[in-house]
Amino acid sequence: MDIKLKEKIKKYITGVWGIEILVVCVSLVTLTIGYYQSFNNTFAELGAGTFDALLNKDKYIQSMIYYESKDLSKEIYTDTNNLEDISILEYKNQHLSQNNYFYGSLFYILMNKETGEFTTNDVNLYKSVQIKENTVALLEEKINDYLKEFKFSSVRIDNKDIYNYYIESTNEKISKQNIDKYIEIYYRDPSVYSYLIKTESLTARSMILSTIFTMLLLLKIIVNSIFNSSNIHLEIKVLKRLFYVLKYGYKYKNTRNKMIISISGSVGVILVYLYLIAGIRNQNILITFLSKYPFKGTLILVLIPLMCVLYSLKKSLDISIINDGLKKINAGDLEYNLTNIGEREVKELVNNINQIKDGYKIALNEKIRNEKLKTELISNVSHDLKTPLTSIINYVNILNDRNITDEEKKDYLTILDKNSKRLKSLIEDLFEVSKLNSGKMTIEKQEIDIVSLVHQGVGEYSNLYEEKNLEFKVSSNEDEIFVDLDGKLMSRVFENIIVNALKYSLNNTRVYIDINARENSVEVSFKNISNYEMDFNTQDIFERFARADKSRNSSVEGSGMGLAITKSIVELHNGSIKIEVEGDMFKIYLIIPKK
């Protein structure tokens, strides 16, 4: 069995679900009503209840004959003035012909207890029972043989211990003076009740199975509520979806038309059933059930197809709602998220649309950010190039003045040399960043000890800014860590970070460098305390010409391209770099793969 299927089955068995609680509640109410009606009605009192048809068919048939003899008994008692004069019956029965005989009819025998004389509406009985002496015992024996021969089911009423159902159920006062003289026997072919027995037996079995199922489900709910209380889900998705369709279905044309058609069709079913089918009897189980329980049958006929159709509208309604949401997004509302509803396919569609929208939003924001950065880049490049260039032009003009001394010329030439070198450095850095970002830079990797490379960088540049009295603390979890990398480019990375630390660290503090070898990579971290308030964006600081001192009027010189170059070199090595700021603590982390 599939693992996911096993997990789903296990989750269901060990959980409590809202639909289960609803089913149990509905079943308990329905079964309670069903059992009450089955054991508290006229048929049950007579022995012709639903469960009698399942457990004792003979008793059921006899009870039904007893019940259905009421109208025939009433007719007999009315014609004979409560059996005072049965000559009218004898006259009627003697003139019965074979054409009046129907095998499934309800027959009666009226027999005098004293004389043994009898009368019956069964033409065949007269032919079968022919005796010379009409004694009661002999007559009853012959009648019983006849009933057995033709397999009739019968009810014997002695009018002493038991009376017919007409007498037992009528509110009229009936004189029993003449009635006590007669024995009444009502009988008919039992096959007449075969379909009714099937129907009632099926109902009884269904109630028993429903009871067992409901009890097991109730036991599951109780046990899981006690021992698996964390796996309780009270939401009823079926009802939620139906209410959802009813709530929003009329809002959209597509679903509205389907709902109108569905409701109209349901009304049509009701009309057809009430006016055409309701009069049919005893033709099949469904018709028998609907005839006996017209209100329940009508509800079943209407609600089942109606619920099915309403449920089928779910996807159409989902698509209509999605289209409404797309109109909002198309109108420019990129903050709007489509509701993740519906079946699995619809949910996937909603997720994909939301992802496309989020991607478009990110791309749009990135485009805006890039446009902003381009503007700032032009401004920063202009500023950083213009400053030394302006200084060079000014000092060149001064040197053209014949009135300056040789000593002044020497100072001005020193300034010119410094600014020209700075301008050259800016241009070289700019070209290097462009080359790195263009993807045309090739790297030549070889196995290099990264610990030695860091120490080399610290030793080479730590003497700069001696007046700041900075101390470098380098630690490593291994003495040697060999990594495949371009030594020249990676030296530039450490150079840029170390020089930045020297420039921007608070005087008389320490710079901590930690080198940690992992299974497949090396992490190098640099931590220093800043000498200024850091309010920059840690992502924007990697952009070209971005500097922490946003005014760009700091006395600390820098092109603003050091971290941009560092990031590009690290990414060329398939590594990553990130910056964290914690108060005045500046942290930069490099993750470099070993191969």
Side-chain angles (χ1 to χ4, degrees), residues 160 195 210 340 438 474 476 540 581 583:
K160 181 180 179 182
Y195 231 99
S210 297
N340 199 349
S438 68
V474 181
S476 175
D540 290 345
V581 174

Side-chain angles (χ1 to χ4, degrees), residues 296-313:
K296 293 179 182 177
T298 303
L299 284 179
I300 291 173
L301 284 174
V302 173
L303 291 179
I304 290 178
L306 182 60
M307 289 175 68
C308 291
V309 174
L310 289 177
Y311 188 80
S312 68
L313 293 177

Side-chain angles (χ1 to χ4, degrees), residues 14-15 224-233:
T14 59
N224 286 332
S225 297
I226 297 172
F227 297 103
N228 297 300
S229 57
S230 60
N231 193 16
I232 296 177
H233 312 274

Side-chain angles (χ1 to χ4, degrees), residues 286-349:
L286 178 62
I287 297 301
T288 304
F289 174 79
L290 296 176
S291 301
K292 192 169 184 180
Y293 306 104
F295 178 73
K296 293 179 182 177
T298 303
L299 284 179
I300 291 173
L301 284 174
V302 173
L303 291 179
I304 290 178
L306 182 60
M307 289 175 68
C308 291
V309 174
L310 289 177
Y311 188 80
S312 68
L313 293 177
K314 184 70 169 55
K315 285 188 179 179
S316 298
L317 183 55
D318 290 338
I319 292 171
S320 298
I321 292 176
I322 290 171
N323 284 334
D324 268 4
L326 286 174
K327 289 177 183 177
K328 293 181 181 179
I329 294 173
N330 290 337
D333 186 3
L334 297 180
E335 298 300 324
Y336 180 82
N337 276 324
L338 295 176
T339 306
N340 199 349
I341 48 154
E343 302 296 332
R344 180 175 57 84
E345 298 84 358
V346 178
K347 285 183 177 180
E348 288 179 358
L349 175 62

Side-chain angles (χ1 to χ4, degrees), residues 427-444:
I427 294 172
E428 286 176 347
D429 285 347
L430 182 59
F431 277 115
E432 187 171 2
V433 169
S434 299
K435 188 177 181 181
L436 286 167
N437 289 342
S438 68
K440 296 179 181 180
M441 175 71 75
T442 58
I443 58 176
E444 297 178 1

